[in-house]
Amino acid sequence: MKKLLLYVICSLISVSQLFADEGMWIPLLLKNHTIADMQKNGFKLTADDIYNINQASTKDAIVIFGRGCTGELVSDQGLLLTNHHCGYGQIQRHSSIEKDYLTNGFWAMSKAEELPNPGLSVTFLVRIEDVTKQALEGVSSSMSQTEKYKKIADNNREIESKAIAGTNHTASVRSFYYGNEYYMFVYEEFKDVRLVGAPPSSIGKFGGDTDNWMWPRHTGDFSVFRIYANKENQPADYSPDNVPYKPKKFLNVSMKGVNEGDFTWVIGYPGGTEQYLTSDAIKLVSEVRNPHKIKLRDKRLEVMNAYANVNDTIRIKYASKNAGVSNSWKRWIGEINGLKRLDAVNKKIAFENEFTNWAANKPNYNGLLKEFNKNYTDIESYALAYDYWREAVYGIEVIAYASGFEKLIEISKGTDSSLALAESTRLLKVSSNFFKDYDLRVDKDIFKALLPMYFAGVNEEFYPSIYSKIQSKYNGDFDKYVEQVFEETIFNKPEKLEKLLSNYSANRVGELKNDPIYVLYNSFLDVYKDKVSEKYFAISAKNDSLYNIYMNALREMQPQKKFYPDANFTMRVAYGKVKGYYPKDGVKYLHYTTLDGVIEKDNPAIYDYDIPNRLREIYKQKDYGVYAKDGSVPLCFIATNHTTGGNSGSPVLDAYGNLIGLNFDRAWEGIASDMMYDPDFSRNVTLDIRYVLFIIDKYAGAKHLVDEMVIVK
Ligand code: ARG
Ligand code: GLU
């Protein structure tokens, strides 16, 4: 009994109390309490050094890179570092069999050789404002949920447009703590961003998907870009006349390295976490949704890998897609394991029991968990159908591609032929991008695998009407059906399709609309629209409004606890210490790795481990220059910073704000930190900046880039 009591108390503490290293904090609010704790742990700067709108501060050296990563400025000439996997799409787009930058790397030896990247942009944060009051103005408790959402959206649009009037900025008001607070983020975007350098994948993606999400790690996951501006140092579209951007602030680079216990911090753009989920939500994710999604991706990866392993053209075409599919797939697996080990569901239940007692006589709160429970029960079948729509239907490339023709087909019904012309011209461009990285064999095999999985995975009420046709006409033989539609469709035949698009007129819409792939897509779309999405989003919205109240209740119940808002791809600061961990009984992981580990893993027979000869040579000669440490070169280290996807490329900084590494991953055993941070296991994985410099200087011979940086010795 005593033991049980102790267990309950311990688990309550672990859920309701914040560990020193847990949390992702809003830069604007550091002064409230965070900065004092950072300083207590070793931080030597002030809140104003990190975020200040009146003078240059660290935030001015940080950008959103592309759509989902972070990058940082490291020179007064707009030089920028991010991860190799963040620049991967760009590196791939510049690659071909003849110029295989993925395999061999790329280094611009002068600014003239830097490669433009249409579509890539970086975004600076200009300022943050607390706009909670304005956002909630006119919102009353008597309003329906829909009315509330509409009012808030209207308010936010007005706040945003006022904030940016007369500037080239953009603004975005975002909800925090499930709609209990609102902050506005004003941004400035630069669109001329050029590729400066990338190591070979056997360095930048060393270990590939086998090592991904794992420690010990030996991945030199970095790439180098440069921001260009017009002559006035203002954002501008690409032009050969643009000049390197002069940033307000760039980071100095420290060669001092790290020791266990050192204070570190991370500033960047964590994409999304769900720290306050109820036990029912965790159950749904870890016992139902993730397992299905994992199964579907198992199949896709199996097919892609089988082809990529024996065919270099396919390997290059599918490299970026494969990495994307594999990345979440592996994370989901890790999350399930982590949540199990943490006994997350039972911990949450224990906490919820405590909550129920506390809320017993509080009419606003006492029915909350029951309502959650009902919603999570109700949503299950819709959630699954939703996941199958995204993972199975859209996992088939030719269907996903055909879905892009919805608009053209719609427009073709109308009388304005110029609209159809514009849309078909746009699709013509999309088409060349699509087919550049498309292989019929891969897609057909995936198609054959996923289609039957859809019908095995969802309730019958979510079967599209075409199902009965496949049953009757093909005797339920999915393979036969797939063979037939693959033969007949235009959506996997670039010449035919491009011919149609370049001479498009609305009277040919039938060739698209009646295409068997489009018919199949449409049949799924009907189900999604009529039977899945409405219910799914309605119940999700109900849950959101419950979380809005629950979040309030949690803060009321634990007034001493410092709550941080879930990550939502806005700038955050996390801090922690360099620290190894004990992954399993009898095993201790050190806090760092070195080049020696690369050599241990080196294997010419495996693409992801087959390092360049040049690196082998350097290792033999021990030609490490100033980057040597104890006879090797430091490579990665781990620390307790609370990070998530989107933090890739984020600078990892020392107590003085010097750059000591690039965040690029988390370690396997603690990956469940998006839902439950675990101080014993949750570690962010950082590429040591000394390895970055070593590769640029000693491997690539691009010392001029290192010379651009300010190095602190
Ligand atoms: N796991 C890291 C992140 O979430 C790295 C992903 C890229 N690397 C890969 N092998 N797929 O983005
Ligand atoms: N690799 C992740 C990213 O692209 C960061 C790792 C994580 O999820 O923490 O943002």
Side-chain angles (χ1 to χ4, degrees):
M1 182 65 205
K2 240 191 187 159
K3 235 183 174 170
L4 184 72
L5 202 70
L6 196 69
Y7 166 78
V8 172
I9 293 172
C10 288
S11 48
L12 287 184
I13 291 175
S14 63
V15 182
S16 58
Q17 250 185 23
L18 205 59
F19 292 98
D21 305 326
E22 179 176 354
M24 305 169 170
W25 309 96
I26 306 175
L28 175 71
L29 305 182
L30 292 175
K31 283 179 191 166
N32 291 0
H33 52 67
T34 314
I35 202 73
D37 194 54
M38 287 174 78
Q39 287 162 342
K40 202 180 88 198
N41 280 286
F43 188 49
K44 301 292 183 207
L45 305 176
T46 66
D48 278 329
D49 292 323
I50 299 177
Y51 175 89
N52 187 330
I53 55 169
N54 300 314
Q55 68 196 50
S57 53
T58 308
K59 72 127 171 88
D60 297 312
I62 312 302
V63 295
I64 298 174
F65 181 87
R67 256 167 248 116
C69 279
T70 307
E72 55 275 356
L73 276 295
V74 289
S75 92
D76 62 355
Q77 302 172 53
L79 198 67
L80 179 152
L81 294 178
T82 187
N83 290 145
H84 184 262
H85 77 262
C86 295
Y88 202 64
Q90 282 73 37
I91 303 165
Q92 188 211 354
R93 238 153 275 143
H94 292 293
S95 294
S96 58
I97 290 271
E98 303 77 48
K99 285 195 275 180
D100 188 351
Y101 299 146
L102 281 180
T103 302
N104 305 317
F106 166 80
W107 300 97
M109 286 303 163
S110 71
K111 295 205 175 77
E113 289 174 14
E114 297 175 356
L115 299 173
N117 300 287
L120 173 66
S121 68
V122 298
T123 307
F124 287 89
L125 173 66
V126 179
R127 65 174 196 277
I128 311 174
E129 252 174 71
D130 182 351
V131 295
T132 308
K133 252 209 206 114
Q134 301 94 298
L136 295 176
E137 206 170 280
V139 176
S140 73
S141 51
S142 63
M143 288 176 153
S144 74
Q145 193 56 35
T146 326
E147 286 169 332
K148 273 189 200 167
Y149 281 158
K150 181 167 180 319
K151 181 74 194 148
I152 295 170
D154 288 347
N155 287 348
N156 289 348
R157 228 170 298 127
E158 198 181 315
I159 303 167
E160 289 164 356
S161 63
K162 260 197 206 145
I164 57 172
T167 70
N168 64 357
H169 297 160
T170 58
S172 157
V173 175
R174 304 295 305 278
S175 143
F176 288 73
Y177 302 106
Y178 290 98
N180 282 294
E181 295 176 19
Y182 288 84
Y183 293 86
M184 175 172 61
F185 295 77
V186 176
Y187 295 113
E188 183 173 44
E189 187 182 5
F190 284 75
K191 291 185 171 158
D192 187 351
V193 184
R194 303 187 196 168
L195 177 62
V196 175
S201 292
S202 54
I203 291 174
K205 196 174 183 257
F206 180 78
D209 290 308
T210 315
D211 283 12
N212 191 20
W213 297 116
M214 306 295 235
W215 184 257
R217 191 63 160 280
H218 302 87
T219 311
D221 197 343
F222 77 97
S223 57
V224 190
F225 286 79
R226 191 187 303 282
I227 307 172
Y228 280 76
N230 67 17
K231 300 253 159 53
E232 285 75 47
N233 206 33
Q234 293 299 310
D237 285 332
Y238 169 79
S239 156
D241 300 333
N242 285 347
V243 293
Y245 169 64
K246 279 210 176 323
K248 286 199 202 82
K249 165 98 185 166
F250 62 89
L251 303 175
N252 291 348
V253 174
S254 169
M255 291 274 294
K256 287 185 191 147
V258 290
N259 292 309
E260 188 142 27
D262 281 359
F263 175 86
T264 63
W265 58 295
V266 178
I267 179 166
Y269 284 87
T273 57
E274 299 176 291
Q275 310 293 337
Y276 305 103
L277 290 184
T278 65
S279 57
D280 295 314
I282 304 247
K283 243 195 245 165
L284 180 62
V285 171
S286 59
E287 290 170 18
V288 183
R289 299 186 73 168
N290 277 2
H292 280 269
K293 295 198 291 190
I294 290 165
K295 237 184 0 193
L296 288 166
R297 290 202 176 191
D298 275 339
K299 265 290 167 235
R300 279 160 86 188
L301 289 166
E302 194 185 298
V303 174
M304 284 188 211
N305 289 338
Y307 281 102
N309 286 341
V310 296
N311 182 320
D312 274 345
T313 311
I314 294 184
R315 175 182 55 73
I316 294 176
K317 283 185 174 184
Y318 279 79
S320 199
K321 290 183 227 180
N322 194 319
V325 173
S326 154
N327 195 40
S328 306
W329 162 81
K330 199 163 174 185
R331 178 168 52 77
W332 294 330
I333 296 172
E335 262 170 12
I336 292 180
N337 292 344
L339 291 171
K340 261 198 208 128
R341 187 183 36 74
L342 278 162
D343 199 18
V345 171
N346 286 320
K347 274 188 192 146
K348 291 265 182 183
I349 288 176
F351 173 75
E352 285 160 9
N353 289 337
E354 199 195 5
F355 179 86
T356 304
N357 287 338
W358 172 82
N361 50 10
K362 301 184 175 63
N364 284 346
Y365 301 146
N366 62 10
L368 275 178
L369 289 164
K370 275 217 185 79
E371 282 187 67
F372 270 126
N373 179 270
K374 178 175 183 325
N375 288 344
Y376 280 115
T377 308
D378 290 349
I379 207 172
E380 182 172 319
S381 66
Y382 303 108
L384 261 189
Y386 176 81
D387 291 342
Y388 272 87
W389 161 255
R390 305 216 4 182
E391 291 289 326
V393 178
Y394 270 83
I396 300 161
E397 289 178 81
V398 70
I399 298 183
Y401 178 55
S403 75
F405 286 70
E406 218 180 314
K407 188 170 168 200
L408 181 60
I409 291 171
E410 193 53 40
I411 291 174
S412 301
K413 288 186 202 149
T415 47
D416 186 348
S417 62
S418 69
L419 286 178
L421 196 67
E423 178 63 6
S424 57
T425 314
R426 188 188 70 83
L427 285 170
L428 205 54
K429 268 199 218 134
V430 176
S431 130
S432 67
N433 282 334
F434 173 74
F435 288 112
K436 173 176 182 285
D437 291 336
Y438 181 74
D439 188 278
L440 283 166
R441 292 159 290 181
V442 177
D443 196 31
K444 197 205 283 181
D445 283 4
I446 289 180
F447 196 173
K448 283 183 178 170
L450 295 193
L451 193 65
M453 286 177 86
Y454 180 93
F455 295 104
V458 305
N459 283 350
E460 251 173 69
E461 60 178 309
F462 304 117
Y463 283 13
S465 57
I466 199 152
Y467 179 71
S468 52
K469 188 177 152 199
I470 303 176
Q471 288 305 316
S472 57
K473 195 164 163 208
Y474 298 88
N475 229 334
D477 187 338
F478 287 109
D479 279 5
K480 240 204 222 146
Y481 167 74
V482 171
E483 289 289 348
Q484 178 93 28
V485 296
F486 234 65
E487 189 64 38
E488 286 172 10
T489 184
I490 193 172
F491 290 106
N492 57 13
K493 301 185 179 62
E495 299 83 28
K496 259 183 144 172
L497 189 69
E498 282 162 17
K499 213 161 131 203
L500 174 65
L501 285 174
S502 44
N503 294 304
Y504 188 76
S505 70
N507 61 14
R508 298 188 67 182
V509 67
E511 291 170 55
L512 299 170
K513 209 172 66 181
N514 303 325
D515 183 281
I517 285 290
Y518 198 81
V519 169
L520 177 65
Y521 164 70
N522 219 4
S523 187
F524 276 114
L525 181 65
D526 283 343
V527 172
Y528 177 72
K529 275 191 187 153
D530 300 341
K531 301 201 175 128
V532 182
S533 66
E534 215 171 294
K535 282 277 195 197
Y536 177 70
F537 288 112
I539 305 173
S540 302
K542 269 199 224 166
N543 271 342
D544 281 348
S545 59
L546 292 181
Y547 276 114
N548 171 281
I549 305 170
Y550 187 51
M551 199 69 231
N552 236 333
L554 292 179
R555 297 210 274 186
E556 205 175 305
M557 178 183 168
Q558 305 161 295
Q560 76 296 343
K561 178 174 161 177
K562 294 166 193 136
F563 282 86
Y564 60 95
D566 272 322
N568 58 359
F569 206 58
T570 59
M571 188 187 273
R572 301 295 176 90
V573 169
Y575 59 98
K577 297 217 151 122
V578 175
K579 201 172 174 186
Y581 67 104
Y582 297 86
K584 52 188 165 205
D585 189 39
V587 181
K588 156 105 211 232
Y589 279 162
L590 297 183
H591 66 278
Y592 71 98
T593 59
T594 68
L595 178 63
D596 290 20
V598 173
I599 304 299
E600 278 172 12
K601 289 179 178 171
D602 179 22
N603 183 348
I606 307 175
Y607 180 78
D608 288 320
Y609 293 94
D610 180 15
I611 63 168
N613 272 329
R614 180 154 170 73
L615 193 57
R616 292 187 187 115
E617 245 347 274
I618 294 175
Y619 174 77
K620 255 196 225 137
Q621 311 290 333
K622 299 276 174 290
D623 178 18
Y624 304 150
V626 293
Y627 311 105
K629 171 98 202 310
D630 303 332
S632 191
V633 183
L635 218 166
C636 290
F637 63 86
I638 47 176
T640 58
N641 299 293
H642 192 182
T643 54
T644 186
N647 269 127
S648 272
S650 296
V652 178
L653 303 148
D654 69 7
Y656 299 91
N658 297 315
L659 183 65
I660 52 178
L662 309 187
N663 184 75
F664 72 98
D665 213 0
R666 277 173 289 156
W668 185 246
E669 292 80 1
I671 285 186
S673 63
D674 284 355
M675 283 170 269
M676 201 177 268
Y677 180 92
D678 180 347
D680 292 333
F681 291 92
S682 292
R683 298 289 180 272
N684 69 312
V685 181
T686 302
L687 170 60
D688 195 305
I689 198 68
R690 291 171 293 179
Y691 194 68
V692 174
L693 302 182
F694 162 74
I695 293 294
I696 294 179
D697 178 354
K698 288 288 175 181
Y699 174 83
K703 175 132 195 306
H704 59 283
L705 298 175
V706 177
D707 292 338
E708 265 187 50
M709 306 176 198
V710 175
I711 308 282
V712 182
K713 293 220 172 85

